[in-house]
Amino acid sequence: MWTDRIALGAALAALVTPAVATYANAPFQDRPYEVADLALRVLDGEELMPPTGDMSLAAAVAAMLLVSELGVAEAYEGIFEAEDEDESDEAEEGDPYAKAYAQLQVVRPWIAALPQDADLSDLVARLDALMPTPEQPAVMDADPEAAEVVAQALVGQLERVANADLYLGRDLSRAMQTVSQLAAHGCAYDEVARPRWFQIAALYFEDVLEAPLSVMAAYDAEQIEDGFDALLDGDMTACDAVGAAFVDAHERLFP
């Protein structure tokens, strides 16, 4: 995922700068549950085929598998973080390189489902060069964010070939509405369905909203984060608090 600095800079820029390009599709805004649910199922090991004839959905899932908190770029950074931990921590969490390499293999079919060109091929090859073998090579790029740089460029190319906006945070107001609606849907569903809605809402909040709101609406951001923790633990009394915090934060940022 983005570092806090990159994420915050992008989110702040979204407040004052419109999207540079206009895309025909906006899957993260129009069907955020479907995108995240597919990505999570892929990461859970389900052998899902990318949808045929739905390039924007395939591109959105690929983007999430590349640059979300659960994506390749974040997993690659985790390789270097693990080097600073003791061996017992690493043994408990598994091999971080193997995890990052496996996630790179998982995202391949979703990229391959889109029209291919030299730019896409080059960027995928650059990710391959960072993680060339199933076993960690003796020498690696020393920059923990090397995969992040390539993955972000790759998502930019996916936007172009799929004609789809793949950054929910470009429109911060709409992003807040999208995540709050996901939480509200979870509150409205039965106890079997609601945990997935809360999981997805919390993931988008962490990916897109936590950094900017923690600066511009810090109290509300804390209320939302605590509320999601409670909802994920099954405490439905947090529904009203989360909804109210989103309303307050939106009014603060967009009076």
Side-chain angles (χ1 to χ4, degrees):
M1 230 291 283
W2 296 355
T3 63
D4 289 344
R5 175 175 53 79
I6 295 172
L8 179 56
L12 291 173
L15 287 174
V16 295
T17 306
V20 174
T22 299
Y23 297 97
N25 302 287
F28 282 104
Q29 292 91 340
D30 296 338
R31 39 183 172 165
Y33 180 93
E34 184 178 4
V35 173
D37 182 63
L38 276 173
L40 289 169
R41 289 166 62 193
V42 169
L43 289 173
D44 283 341
E46 290 191 42
E47 296 183 2
L48 301 176
M49 295 298 294
T52 57
D54 196 342
M55 288 194 299
S56 66
L57 180 59
V61 172
M64 201 157 197
L65 294 173
L66 285 165
V67 299
S68 77
E69 280 290 334
L70 305 176
V72 171
E74 183 72 10
Y76 184 84
E77 188 174 343
I79 298 169
F80 298 87
E81 293 174 352
E83 293 176 355
D84 297 329
E85 299 175 354
D86 60 42
E87 293 183 0
S88 61
D89 290 337
E90 184 174 345
E92 183 178 338
E93 297 179 4
D95 180 355
Y97 177 87
K99 175 183 175 182
Y101 180 85
Q103 288 186 214
L104 177 56
Q105 311 318 308
V106 162
V107 75
R108 287 182 187 282
W110 297 84
I111 298 172
L114 297 161
Q116 301 296 296
D117 59 21
D119 291 329
L120 277 179
S121 298
D122 175 66
L123 289 166
V124 172
R126 289 172 63 187
L127 282 178
D128 285 337
L130 293 173
M131 293 174 281
T133 57
E135 296 78 28
Q136 184 169 343
V139 178
M140 294 183 61
D141 191 307
D143 182 3
E145 296 179 16
E148 174 70 36
V149 173
V150 180
Q152 292 289 352
L154 183 51
V155 172
Q157 291 299 320
L158 294 176
E159 286 193 310
R160 180 179 58 79
V161 299
N163 194 18
D165 182 351
L166 302 181
Y167 286 102
L168 179 60
R170 273 200 178 98
D171 185 335
L172 193 57
S173 175
R174 188 169 181 182
M176 293 171 69
Q177 293 169 351
T178 297
V179 178
S180 64
Q181 287 168 3
L182 286 167
H185 279 300
C187 291
Y189 278 108
D190 61 36
E191 59 183 343
V192 175
R194 67 171 64 111
R196 189 63 154 191
W197 287 86
F198 294 150
Q199 180 188 14
I200 288 171
L203 176 59
Y204 280 127
F205 177 76
E206 185 177 10
D207 271 354
V208 179
L209 298 177
E210 184 176 17
L213 294 189
S214 66
V215 173
M216 296 179 285
Y219 176 78
D220 296 317
E222 184 177 357
Q223 293 295 106
I224 294 169
E225 185 175 5
D226 290 346
F228 276 137
D229 288 341
L231 291 172
L232 289 167
D233 286 338
D235 180 4
M236 295 298 292
T237 65
C239 282
D240 289 343
V242 169
F246 267 112
V247 170
D248 290 345
H250 196 274
E251 291 179 349
R252 183 183 301 275
L253 272 59
F254 303 96

